[in-house]
Amino acid sequence: MVREFDHNGSSVIPVGVLPAGGYGVEFSTGSASIRTALQVAATDTVRLRYGFVVDYSPARDLQGVADTVRRLHLTGVQFYDWAYRHASLLGGGENYTDALDQPISLATVRSLVDAVQQAGAKALGYAAVYAVGPQEWGNWEHQALLNGAEAPYGLGDFLCLVDPAAEDWLGHFVGELDASVKSVGFDGFHLDQYGYPKVARRPDGTVVDVASSFATMIQGVRDELPDATLVFNNVNDFPTWVTGSSPQDAVYIELWSPQETLGSLGSTVARAKSVAGSKPVVIAAYQHVYDSASAEEADRATGLTMATLYSHGATHLLAGEADRILVDPYYVRNHTIELSTADLLKRWYDFLVEHDELLLDPSIVDVTGATVGEYNDDTDVTFDSAVVGETAQAGQVWRRVTESNGRRIVHLINLVGQTDSLWDAPRNAMTNIGGGKLKIRRIPGCRPRVQVADPDGAGRLIDVEVTVDGEFAFADLPPLSLWQLVLIDPTNQGGEDNDRS
């Protein structure tokens, strides 16, 4: 949906009362036209557009973070590595260095919490659910997760891991979280793990199914912090099948090998949605490519990553701080973006918000296999100079079809000029293959309405001329750049039309 408002020279633009949904907003200032987007939602947890902060040094500037939250419409911000120690979140007093010697001022953390909240997002404190550093290990080694060599699992020589569901540890952990809410003002927590082990043994001989322990831990945190926003990290999809239905506010997955292709991104989102219910799905896919390629090549990789995630119904943890993006799992090692990347993110996050109902609504279903191809012959797109396929194959147009509320959405992602389908690798320039030809089996008495939107184009949905020939309707689509969204309303009442084109 698009609304146009006249600001009459004022810096405040009243938009009135709007129904729930995503909106593109356009306004003019002299000769320039400016676009943004807004979403109206019934609750503040219906979507998670996730960002991050990492700098808590004394007297740091807050404005850049607030600007990022507003510009990209973020609804949640992860406060990464804000705490004193993993097992003692507030043990350092008001000023300290964290476990990796980064300077922390709790006054700055509190100021950032307030700035993020004032900008419209929730502040979520990072907390590892089973990690203990050397200073506290003596208190918790009796709950260690042991490997086959009878040594504690850990993260290098930096941390050791305990059973997250052990009664005494869980009581301690929840107490630390509760104290952090009261002291710092967090809205909730990002609950982290490292993806291993899957099964381990405690020193008392108990065999621990870690997936089950994670589910017990999430329930325990929810019971004690009923109003907190909780996001648990399913590292490399472990164990989404167990925790996806847990009482948290999103299904969040951080991806690693072997999930390296665009196709694997889509499959991961589909699995997450199958257990998420109405909870939003968020994928952490770090674009390491910015460290090794030009901004142009990396921007195209990011565009293909976002196109895949958005079109499958997930959002992307990528941007945060003041114009930074994630290129490393240690968020302090982030990347300062160039203007081209800032422009890309602005356009694409606006697009995500404006077309929320067509991308992120939990009711959306994939109907590709039931609609395309000669046997179905219901909805399809062809190109004169490119092959179209239903999987993410280099050298082709990746075509998917979804449905929601009686409308059909066709996603076209351009992989024609690529030599592989990796999501974290330099991408070649988009090959110009012209526009596609859309064919729709029509309902008697109806001329389908067809609209097209492109995040690198106008952003908004634009009507495309439709012609009819007997039982089918046809439309010539605009040239495909990276990603094109085609919206079809098959029940549009155009009257019985027997004109042939």
Side-chain angles (χ1 to χ4, degrees):
M1 290 179 276
V2 176
R3 292 289 177 91
E4 297 185 5
F5 303 97
D6 184 358
H7 74 317
N8 293 319
S10 171
S11 60
V12 177
I13 304 173
V15 298
V17 178
L18 300 174
Y23 295 85
V25 180
E26 300 180 357
F27 57 96
S28 298
T29 57
S31 60
S33 178
I34 299 173
R35 299 195 86 246
T36 185
L38 61 87
Q39 181 185 10
V40 178
T43 70
D44 57 6
T45 58
V46 68
R47 299 288 183 265
L48 179 55
R49 294 183 290 273
Y50 212 8
F52 70 95
V53 293
V54 296
D55 180 3
Y56 315 105
S57 55
R60 70 152 292 179
D61 178 66
L62 309 177
Q63 191 58 48
V65 172
D67 288 346
T68 295
V69 171
R70 291 189 176 95
R71 185 173 64 254
L72 302 183
H73 319 289
L74 302 182
T75 61
V77 174
Q78 180 188 150
F79 280 59
Y80 180 85
D81 274 11
W82 68 275
Y84 173 61
R85 296 291 183 267
H86 291 74
S88 179
L89 303 184
L90 296 168
E94 287 296 307
N95 295 280
Y96 48 88
T97 58
D98 72 6
L100 292 176
D101 293 326
Q102 296 295 311
I104 310 289
S105 164
L106 271 186
T108 299
V109 177
R110 294 186 186 101
S111 295
L112 278 168
V113 167
D114 182 65
V116 163
Q117 292 168 340
Q118 291 300 316
K122 292 194 171 187
L124 306 185
Y126 175 96
V129 302
Y130 59 176
V132 179
Q135 290 178 310
E136 297 82 27
W137 183 239
N139 297 326
W140 298 108
E141 58 185 329
H142 65 287
Q143 300 293 9
L145 293 174
L146 301 177
N147 62 27
E150 301 292 324
Y153 279 96
L155 187 63
D157 59 358
F158 170 50
L159 295 167
C160 292
L161 307 186
V162 299
D163 179 3
E167 185 175 354
D168 55 348
W169 166 258
L170 184 53
H172 166 79
F173 181 64
V174 171
E176 291 286 305
L177 300 183
D178 184 50
S180 300
V181 171
K182 294 172 180 173
S183 173
V184 182
F186 289 127
D187 297 295
F189 295 94
H190 181 96
L191 304 173
D192 196 25
Q193 54 125 342
Y194 307 129
Y196 59 84
K198 274 69 174 183
V199 179
R201 187 176 62 81
R202 293 197 316 228
D204 65 3
T206 301
V207 175
V208 178
D209 176 351
V210 178
S212 178
S213 283
F214 285 150
T216 298
M217 178 275 303
I218 295 169
Q219 184 65 61
V221 175
R222 172 58 69 210
D223 289 343
E224 296 301 320
L225 300 174
D227 299 323
T229 297
L230 303 179
V231 177
F232 174 74
N233 185 4
N234 296 279
V235 177
N236 228 17
D237 211 11
F238 171 72
T240 313
W241 58 91
V242 174
T243 62
S245 58
S246 295
Q248 54 180 315
D249 296 284
V251 176
Y252 173 98
I253 301 172
E254 178 185 71
L255 288 189
W256 298 100
S257 175
Q259 301 183 79
E260 298 176 335
T261 65
L262 295 169
S264 65
L265 284 182
S267 296
T268 300
V269 174
R271 289 192 300 272
K273 290 181 66 176
S274 72
V275 296
S278 62
K279 292 191 287 288
V281 174
V282 184
I283 302 296
Y286 309 133
Q287 300 287 174
H288 305 78
V289 62
Y290 282 95
D291 283 341
S292 60
S294 69
E296 291 78 10
E297 293 170 312
D299 284 349
R300 289 191 285 267
T302 296
L304 288 170
T305 300
M306 290 191 294
T308 300
L309 295 177
Y310 294 179
S311 65
H312 281 79
T315 59
H316 188 192
L317 173 62
L318 179 67
E321 270 293 335
D323 293 319
R324 306 291 182 93
I325 59 171
L326 293 176
V327 295
D328 192 274
Y330 181 49
Y331 290 8
V332 176
R333 291 196 289 263
N334 53 58
H335 176 78
T336 302
I337 61 177
E338 297 186 22
L339 181 60
S340 65
T341 309
D343 289 343
L344 170 77
L345 295 175
K346 176 66 170 65
R347 293 193 307 273
W348 284 61
Y349 278 61
D350 281 349
F351 190 88
L352 175 68
V353 173
E354 178 173 347
H355 303 295
D356 177 86
E357 301 98 311
L358 306 180
L359 299 172
L360 302 182
D361 192 312
S363 70
I364 295 172
V365 293
D366 188 321
V367 297
T368 306
T371 57
V372 305
E374 293 182 1
Y375 183 87
N376 296 309
D377 206 22
D378 290 319
T379 300
D380 216 339
V381 178
T382 57
F383 289 82
D384 290 337
S385 59
V387 175
V388 177
E390 59 272 6
T391 58
Q393 297 294 322
Q396 299 184 6
V397 175
W398 183 14
R399 174 258 290 116
R400 293 180 58 254
V401 185
T402 64
E403 279 190 0
S404 177
N405 298 316
R407 298 185 295 179
R408 192 162 289 172
I409 304 107
V410 181
H411 296 284
L412 302 171
I413 298 177
N414 187 0
L415 301 177
V416 172
Q418 310 307 322
T419 57
D420 60 60
S421 62
L422 298 174
W423 56 262
D424 188 22
R427 296 295 83 186
N428 299 326
M430 296 297 115
T431 298
N432 181 3
I433 58 172
K437 294 178 173 58
L438 174 67
K439 177 183 178 183
I440 311 161
R441 185 183 298 277
R442 72 188 188 105
I443 298 170
C446 296
R447 179 194 294 266
R449 183 183 184 186
V450 176
Q451 297 171 284
V452 178
D454 181 339
D456 289 328
R460 74 174 82 88
L461 287 163
I462 296 174
D463 278 282
V464 176
E465 183 179 358
V466 176
T467 59
V468 298
D469 186 352
E471 62 179 314
F472 291 99
F474 301 87
D476 290 327
L477 304 177
L480 173 64
S481 53
L482 192 155
W483 173 33
Q484 195 174 88
L485 181 155
V486 182
L487 175 63
I488 303 165
D489 181 358
T491 62
N492 184 55
Q493 296 296 316
E496 187 63 42
D497 191 339
N498 295 315
D499 293 343
R500 294 186 180 271
S501 52

